[in-house]
Amino acid sequence: METEPSFFETSPTPNVVGKPLNRVDGRDKVMGRAKYSAEYPIPGLTYGVLKTSDIAKGKIQNIDTSAAAKAPGVLAIYTHLNIPKLAVTPNDAEGKKAIGAPMGFMPLTSDVIHYAGQPVAVVVADTFERATHAADLVRVTYLTEQPIAAYTDPKAKIFDPQKIQDGKTDGKTRRGDARAALASAPVQLTGVFTHAINHHNPMEPGATTAVWEAPDRLTVYESTQGVTRTQKALSTMLGLPQDQVRVITKYLGGGFGCKGSCWPHTVLTVLAAKGVGRPVKLSLTRKQQFTSMGHREDQTQTLTLGATKEGKLTALIHEKTSTTSPWDNYAESNSKIINMLYDCPNFEASYQLARGNVMTSTFTRAPGEAPGSFALESLMDDLAYKLNIDPIQIRLLNHADKDPTNGQPWSSKSLKECYARGAELFGWSKRNPKAGATRNGRLLVGMGMATASYPVHNSQGMARVRLYADGHAVVQSGATDLGTGTYTVMTQVAADSLGLPPEKIRFELGDTKLPTAPNSGGSVAAGTVSSSVYMAAQDVWERLTKLAIKDKKSPLFGAKAEEVAIENGRLQLKKNKAKGEDYMALMKRAGLDDIEGSGNGKYGAGYETGQSASPADSGYKEPPAAHSMHSFGAHFCEVQVDPDLGTVRVTRWVSVHGAGRILNAKTARSQIIGGSIFGIGAALMEATHRDNQFARYVNADLADYHIPVNADIPDMTVEFIDERDPYINAMGVKGIGEISMVGVSAAVGNAIFHATGKRVRDLPMTPDKILATKPV
Amino acid sequence: MNNFSYLQATQPKEATGAVRDNKQAAFIAGGTTLLDLMKLNVENHDQLVDINMLAFKGIEQTGDGLRIGALERMSDVGENPLVMQQYPMISQSLLQAASPQLRNMASIGGNLLQRTRCGYFRDTAFPCNKRQPGSGCPAQEGENRGLAILGGSKSCIATFPGDLAVALVALDAVLLLENAKGKQRRVPLVDFHLVPGNTPQRETVLEPGELIVSVTVPAAAHTRKSMYLKVRERTSYAYALASAAVGLDVQGGQIRSARVALGGVGTKPWRSREAEKVLTGAPATEATFRAAAAAALREAQPREHNRFKVELAQSTLVRALTELTAA
């Protein structure tokens, strides 16, 4: 392992890191000063509106644009016949690979319709309303074919993919001999679990403002979780050098994975702007959002476990079948968490897919781990009841002391502490172990829990620090802030790394002109960017130290670099702290108004091995490290179920996580709360319904696609276990964006089981399913 | 959404005349349903006639009951002390509907005319007999989980989505209507909405240009002892999976009079005289309530995904009756 300084060494008692600092961007947001990607008042701006397909499969027979073209204010109408051509499209394997961002199909490249809601035209007008009206006037006729709506369609062809999730995960995994182990296991349990289609539905829809600064130079204000990934995808498709495309995302109104790729509407906006020769802004409608940026796929999981009479797991066999698009092999990799969460010597997993005429599914918060943990943690609960063992006990009995997938030690793991602290905060000991035995008047009360885990993926990024001699600093990294607090936590890290108060730091992000950072996805952003910022500050100190020891007027003149330490902005000898000076004095003497440093922060296996990962492809290929790196946690849930009406209310919630260093107690708590609510939504109400005959959604709006309202959510208790992990990155940070949701739906389901004795295996667990399920 | 002209009417005749004379015109009050459907191209109007200036206001006790002006807002009526105390079912139905923002905008008259949330109706890419007569009803074999089990036909099973109308239909509310000639007529709410039959595009008995002026509700013992119970997937801002509006006059354990209507299950606000018949004169016991609930759902015709509503509606009704008599 390369010896790089770590935050643990230079800031053993941090000033502001970890503190519940208020959001530095909070005031701008509530005052309406924070500009989102569709809010830039660019001179000459025009408005693009998509016309989308009414059918899910077939061909465009004719597009009549005559009425639309005559409508007032219309500047252009682009269809597959006249839109400017792309240099590269993702429609073939080579193009797809070159583009990099997960993108498998580009509309308006032919007359073929693959899914309902596929763009068939882009209308550009001088106002949004005129463009919207003109889009309605475009008349499209189709040669309609019968679509396949889902893997459940009897006509769907189920196949075994070699790889899923864009080639990241094998279609089949084996460890040991699960079939043989199962056959000889005295306890055998099987559960079949289904998951409804879920949509991310960030508050801010997908939005693009495209400005061609010159015929070969483009600026895009984009609602994306990764400016670099978008830059790379766009420049490849347009045939431009990467530096000729600038992508800016200063604020993001949520993403949850749907803004982790480059999607067709962005490319269409760029092409329309090229065509009309003016800036074009395009914002998806809420309805279009449901067919434009992916979703969590409809899926069935069958999980079988074998165990000893004492409850020790001996075999796990997982099978998943799900719907994918005509061009992709996307499936969430549910089996990963099932493979690693418990000590089980035999494991087998396989994926099956069917092509439906649907937009492709994509990363959705905790992709794989969230639905995978629902199956595993529900079945573990069944095992606990079957053997009359406490649900926490059965998990402790199967606790994985090392990573069962490769036998490696964990870089850090506080799961036992999470169970213990969670149980204490929740009052688990007061729980009557018998299901269906606790009442509050008419209502049945249930308490359930589940384990959470999420990997520390491999990633890296860059940051730049410019320290001014007057005691201010500008810190930059091309990261994005989904609204979860990147601006704030990086300000804190920079403050402690530079020995400055946070109000003297300005942190800038969300621009490809800044040092490259990874996508904010897969929970890599906080750890990668904070490490980059920290390393950049170290670079500044190294430069200043070099300056000091060569400066005859410095008290440090003649010292060796390794003899000098930095404390609160002062350079001094480690052995004689009195001998040293303030950096401002040093810079003034040297005639420096400012000094810059840059840092390359590595995250995950790449940090431990010293190898690097391509920032835009974070998490793609993990080099072997000596440790397995995961965060762990536990959720505890109390529900009250109305046995006559089938309604479920979550009445208490406790989440305890061990996720490395927590950078900001307040934003971290908010993130766990947000992820838990996301999970409660998936557990109890979220479902997009696709008509089987038309392969088209029937509830594509926020009135009929239910997410929790405030009244559905109780006060939530969140705590973190202190963890000091030296193997994962210079800051010791594990991400918390995804783990907040993992295990949540199982915790809710387990509480429902405890309340009612009913095991509901179909998400969401709506009143009709609660009523229809028979108690065991 | 197409272009439209806008007329702000100051007199009823100005409004009713404009809409009678132009088939493409529509009244607008709160606009919470209308603008939504216009943006979806489900409704296309070339003229909107704003009636908010008309004097259809007032929430008052009259000699024999309650009178509510059609242009009162849902939130104002829901939080009105008279309504809360004397007609609790009406207040509850309003405050459990929509969201506070929508209730602040939406008018009473408009709410009674609220159109279905059927996903096939709301998306012009689907066939829909209500939107485009004769085009078909894919909901029959499709995603019909939220759709009606009472009052449906082969051409339409769209659920009436409202809450207030369910309460009002239970309490024998009468609408005062005014047409373009200035002529007024009274129509019991129970006769106001139509079941779809072969003409699902016709949802009410309103004539072209006719406006709702006010709603009156006769006072009775069962209006004071009344409640609205709504079962839904989330605690707020959700349409009913099933709801029950019940009013009872119970004396000495015997039910003297009963009013029952169901929401979320019918193609119109579903008054259940069958349930009332079972309840009236019977002891206020769980057995009676169950029998009444069974009677209310006897004619139910569920489809593949909404079968649960048969049981859920009965449970909801039993629960409402139980809670009301326990209070």
Side-chain angles (χ1 to χ4, degrees):
Chain A
M1 180 175 159
E2 203 178 319
T3 49
E4 283 177 340
S6 86
F7 191 76
F8 293 106
E9 294 149 34
T10 57
S11 304
T13 53
N15 263 330
V16 281
V17 164
K19 300 278 159 44
L21 194 74
N22 284 337
R23 284 165 196 275
V24 296
D25 51 340
R27 193 172 172 81
D28 278 347
K29 282 185 172 172
V30 297
M31 300 287 282
R33 287 192 297 246
K35 275 198 184 62
Y36 290 78
S37 298
E39 297 181 333
Y40 285 83
I42 290 160
L45 186 63
T46 66
Y47 298 80
V49 168
L50 295 179
K51 172 84 175 177
T52 62
S53 172
D54 281 355
I55 67 160
K57 187 180 185 197
K59 281 191 173 173
I60 297 168
Q61 188 175 39
N62 183 50
I63 302 186
D64 178 3
T65 58
S66 54
K70 280 183 233 145
V74 172
L75 299 167
I77 301 162
Y78 296 107
T79 69
H80 64 286
L81 299 170
N82 67 340
I83 195 158
K85 289 275 174 287
L86 289 165
V88 176
T89 76
N91 297 356
D92 55 71
E94 206 175 311
K96 183 175 175 170
K97 199 175 170 200
I99 290 162
M103 187 188 205
F105 171 67
M106 185 63 212
L108 269 73
T109 51
S110 80
D111 58 356
V112 178
I113 300 295
H114 281 309
Y115 59 99
Q118 177 181 322
V120 293
V122 188
V123 178
V124 184
D126 58 353
T127 70
F128 167 70
E129 291 77 9
R130 285 171 152 181
T132 302
H133 177 53
D136 288 340
L137 297 176
V138 174
R139 292 276 166 258
V140 188
T141 51
Y142 301 94
L143 293 166
T144 308
E145 294 171 49
Q146 183 58 41
I148 300 286
Y151 68 93
T152 48
D153 188 323
K155 292 187 294 297
K157 289 194 188 92
I158 309 275
F159 66 98
D160 300 309
Q162 280 221 316
K163 297 270 186 186
I164 57 159
Q165 213 183 346
D166 280 311
K168 277 202 274 182
T169 305
D170 290 331
K172 289 189 193 304
T173 311
R174 285 189 73 161
R175 180 162 58 75
D177 189 342
R179 303 271 163 188
L182 179 69
S184 61
V187 182
Q188 301 181 11
L189 289 175
T190 294
V192 179
F193 303 86
T194 66
H195 202 301
I197 300 163
N198 280 183
H199 275 82
H200 316 73
N201 272 317
M203 191 94 83
E204 178 204 25
T208 306
T209 308
V211 186
W212 285 89
E213 315 278 359
D216 60 350
R217 193 151 49 83
L218 172 69
T219 300
V220 180
Y221 302 87
E222 174 68 359
S223 180
T224 177
Q225 290 169 232
V227 291
T228 304
R229 184 176 273 183
T230 304
Q231 176 197 40
K232 192 175 167 192
L234 285 177
S235 60
T236 306
M237 280 189 259
L238 295 165
L240 291 174
Q242 203 168 335
D243 64 284
Q244 293 293 84
V245 177
R246 182 181 178 191
V247 180
I248 297 170
T249 307
K250 288 295 175 187
Y251 295 97
L252 206 61
F256 317 117
C258 78
K259 294 173 181 171
S261 311
C262 183
W263 294 102
H265 68 273
T266 302
V267 185
L268 294 175
T269 310
V270 166
L271 293 179
K274 178 119 190 150
V276 295
R278 286 173 66 176
V280 174
K281 169 164 100 178
L282 186 147
S283 186
L284 297 174
T285 64
R286 183 57 61 181
K287 191 177 174 65
Q288 289 169 352
Q289 181 74 34
F290 279 81
T291 50
S292 299
M293 302 180 83
H295 55 272
R296 195 191 298 281
E297 67 266 18
D298 40 326
Q299 53 188 280
T300 296
Q301 305 177 74
T302 304
L303 181 63
T304 301
L305 67 75
T308 65
K309 278 181 285 191
E310 293 73 35
K312 181 74 192 63
L313 290 172
T314 56
L316 283 165
I317 300 173
H318 181 255
E319 289 160 351
K320 174 180 169 180
T321 309
S322 56
T323 308
T324 190
S325 58
W327 61 86
D328 237 337
N329 280 358
Y330 188 90
E332 298 178 283
S333 48
N334 299 30
S335 63
K336 279 188 176 169
I337 190 167
I338 297 167
N339 194 358
M340 59 64 65
L341 197 59
Y342 296 111
D343 180 34
C344 177
N346 301 291
F347 174 79
E348 190 179 312
S350 60
Y351 293 85
Q352 293 194 311
L353 292 174
R355 299 205 182 286
N357 290 102
V358 300
M359 176 39 138
T360 203
S361 53
T362 192
F363 328 112
T364 308
R365 201 170 198 165
E369 278 78 6
S373 65
F374 175 62
L376 177 59
E377 290 298 277
S378 299
L379 204 62
M380 286 300 280
D381 211 51
D382 282 339
L383 182 63
Y385 282 99
K386 187 175 175 74
L387 300 178
N388 204 15
I389 299 175
D390 179 84
I392 297 177
Q393 280 309 313
I394 197 97
R395 287 168 171 83
L396 287 171
L397 184 67
N398 288 287
H399 184 270
D401 298 331
K402 350 175 252 200
D403 185 345
T405 68
N406 55 18
Q408 286 185 342
W410 304 105
S411 63
S412 61
K413 181 174 183 177
S414 311
L415 182 56
K416 288 180 181 172
E417 292 88 336
C418 293
Y419 290 146
R421 183 61 181 149
E424 184 186 348
L425 288 167
F426 188 76
W428 185 258
S429 62
K430 297 192 195 94
R431 171 181 177 271
N432 180 345
K434 204 165 145 29
T438 310
R439 278 188 172 266
N440 173 20
R442 228 193 275 288
L443 303 174
L444 297 169
V445 181
M447 301 181 201
M449 57 81 57
T451 312
S453 179
Y454 195 77
V456 175
H457 289 301
N458 192 19
S459 182
Q460 69 164 337
M462 300 291 293
R464 180 163 57 217
V465 165
R466 179 184 291 168
L467 178 64
Y468 289 91
D470 69 353
H472 286 78
V474 174
V475 182
Q476 299 173 319
S477 180
T480 45
D481 184 339
L482 276 78
T484 44
T486 312
Y487 275 112
T488 309
V489 298
M490 297 315 153
T491 300
Q492 289 171 274
V493 171
D496 277 356
S497 304
L498 293 168
L500 293 174
E503 54 273 17
K504 303 273 184 176
I505 308 280
R506 192 169 85 239
F507 181 71
E508 297 178 342
L509 53 64
D511 189 335
T512 48
K513 283 207 165 168
L514 305 181
T516 299
N519 254 34
S520 285
S523 296
V524 305
T528 313
V529 182
S530 66
S531 295
S532 309
V533 167
Y534 169 72
M535 297 301 290
Q538 294 310 305
D539 190 35
V540 166
W541 294 127
E542 268 178 45
R543 285 164 199 271
L544 285 167
T545 303
K546 268 186 206 161
L547 207 60
I549 60 182
K550 285 183 188 158
D551 182 351
K552 284 181 185 162
K553 288 183 181 159
S554 169
L556 298 169
F557 176 71
K560 287 183 183 146
E562 56 269 27
E563 292 167 355
V564 179
I566 315 296
E567 211 172 294
N568 292 324
R570 195 180 133 84
L571 296 86
Q572 59 200 22
L573 285 180
K574 282 178 188 164
K575 287 189 174 162
N576 178 9
K577 289 187 177 180
K579 200 164 180 188
E581 68 173 326
D582 191 81
Y583 73 89
M584 291 188 196
L586 173 66
M587 285 174 70
K588 268 188 196 132
R589 259 196 335 274
L592 289 175
D593 284 338
D594 64 77
I595 185 164
E596 278 193 11
S598 74
N600 172 208
K602 295 194 177 79
Y603 182 75
Y607 178 71
E608 193 177 23
T609 61
Q611 291 180 24
S612 59
S614 167
D617 304 332
S618 65
Y620 259 49
K621 204 174 175 190
E622 322 253 337
H627 292 87
S628 281
M629 304 169 181
H630 284 257
S631 44
F632 291 91
H635 298 286
F636 293 80
C637 172
E638 182 189 82
V639 296
Q640 298 195 352
V641 182
D642 190 313
D644 303 321
L645 306 178
T647 47
V648 178
R649 287 212 65 184
V650 175
T651 46
R652 290 196 300 128
W653 190 265
V654 173
S655 290
V656 180
H657 293 278
R661 179 193 297 280
I662 297 304
L663 293 171
N664 180 317
K666 186 185 275 187
T667 57
R669 177 177 182 272
S670 296
Q671 208 168 351
I672 298 291
I673 287 174
S676 299
I677 294 172
F678 219 102
I680 291 171
L684 294 178
M685 59 191 84
E686 291 198 37
T688 324
H689 300 290
R690 194 188 285 139
D691 177 84
N692 267 331
Q693 189 190 345
F694 293 88
R696 190 175 180 87
Y697 296 122
V698 298
N699 63 330
D701 61 61
L702 284 176
D704 296 300
Y705 180 89
H706 291 161
I707 59 170
V709 296
N710 270 323
D712 291 311
I713 303 300
D715 269 347
M716 299 179 117
T717 302
V718 175
E719 274 198 16
F720 297 96
I721 303 294
D722 259 342
E723 250 181 18
R724 188 189 161 124
D725 190 328
Y727 303 109
I728 48 176
N729 51 68
M731 291 298 299
V733 165
K734 299 173 178 174
I736 55 172
E738 331 273 334
I739 193 173
S740 53
M741 189 183 177
V742 180
V744 169
S745 47
V748 175
N750 294 345
I752 291 172
F753 181 84
H754 182 238
T756 61
K758 295 179 176 191
R759 177 63 64 190
V760 185
R761 297 189 177 90
D762 303 308
L763 296 182
M765 298 177 269
T766 43
D768 47 329
K769 293 175 192 163
I770 306 273
L771 291 174
T773 305
K774 298 275 169 281
V776 294
Chain B
M1 189 169 187
N2 54 305
N3 288 326
F4 57 87
S5 65
Y6 171 80
L7 171 72
Q8 191 173 55
T10 51
Q11 294 301 321
K13 266 198 168 174
E14 193 184 353
T16 51
V19 172
R20 179 199 55 193
D21 296 341
N22 177 3
K23 278 188 175 170
Q24 291 300 107
F27 299 116
I28 181 167
T32 53
T33 295
L34 181 73
L35 295 179
D36 184 28
L37 293 176
M38 286 177 74
K39 288 182 197 169
L40 294 170
N41 291 313
V42 170
E43 290 199 26
N44 295 290
H45 302 289
D46 63 9
Q47 184 179 35
L48 292 189
V49 180
D50 187 338
I51 57 170
N52 285 300
M53 298 291 278
L54 305 185
F56 298 168
K57 291 288 184 73
I59 307 166
E60 62 210 0
Q61 184 81 51
T62 61
D64 53 358
L66 173 71
R67 196 195 76 87
I68 305 169
L71 285 171
E72 288 293 341
R73 303 294 142 172
M74 289 173 75
S75 48
D76 292 334
V77 180
E79 282 157 25
N80 181 283
L82 167 70
V83 178
M84 292 175 95
Q85 284 152 26
Q86 300 295 315
Y87 306 86
M89 172 207 285
I90 295 175
S91 166
Q92 289 161 12
S93 74
L94 284 162
L95 298 182
Q96 288 179 66
S99 66
Q101 294 90 334
L102 286 166
R103 295 198 293 267
N104 286 341
M105 285 299 290
S107 70
I108 294 298
N111 187 252
L112 298 177
L113 296 168
Q114 189 179 7
R115 305 197 71 187
T116 185
R117 295 297 298 192
C118 174
Y120 298 93
F121 169 72
R122 288 172 54 81
D123 183 344
T124 57
F126 286 117
C128 169
N129 288 326
K130 185 187 278 296
R131 183 167 29 76
Q132 210 179 342
S135 61
C137 178
Q140 307 273 346
E141 305 302 326
E143 291 295 327
N144 47 36
R145 180 169 176 271
L147 299 181
I149 54 172
L150 289 164
S153 69
K154 278 184 180 161
S155 58
C156 182
I157 51 171
T159 316
F160 177 82
D163 296 299
L164 171 67
V166 179
L168 290 178
V169 83
L171 296 183
D172 306 300
V174 176
L175 302 184
L176 179 64
L177 310 179
E178 181 170 330
N179 70 11
K181 291 177 187 153
K183 205 178 146 207
Q184 295 193 333
R185 62 170 174 151
R186 288 182 185 277
V187 176
L189 185 61
V190 72
D191 300 327
F192 179 73
H193 293 98
L194 302 171
V195 291
N198 292 323
T199 54
Q201 71 277 16
R202 282 202 66 213
E203 293 174 0
T204 69
V205 300
L206 278 176
E207 296 165 8
E210 203 170 21
L211 267 175
I212 303 173
V213 176
S214 64
V215 187
T216 53
V217 183
H222 57 245
T223 57
R224 280 187 300 280
K225 193 175 181 66
S226 69
M227 77 172 294
Y228 186 76
L229 179 69
K230 182 174 179 180
V231 178
R232 44 186 162 170
E233 281 175 16
R234 59 179 172 189
T235 312
S236 174
Y237 192 44
Y239 293 91
L241 292 172
S243 70
V246 292
L248 292 178
D249 177 11
V250 185
Q251 294 199 3
Q254 292 293 117
I255 301 167
R256 290 180 53 151
S257 70
R259 292 293 181 273
V260 174
L262 298 172
V265 290
T267 53
K268 59 178 271 184
W270 201 260
R271 174 83 179 257
S272 180
R273 306 224 188 248
E274 298 82 357
E276 292 170 7
K277 204 181 279 177
V278 174
L279 292 167
T280 307
T285 61
E286 191 182 325
T288 302
F289 301 157
R290 290 200 180 280
L297 274 297
R298 194 155 290 140
E299 302 295 315
Q301 288 187 304
R303 312 291 306 181
E304 184 185 354
H305 302 295
N306 62 8
R307 207 162 293 278
F308 72 97
K309 285 191 173 188
V310 179
E311 183 194 336
L312 183 62
Q314 293 185 57
S315 306
T316 306
L317 180 51
V318 169
R319 173 65 60 82
L321 290 165
T322 308
E323 284 195 10
L324 188 62
T325 47

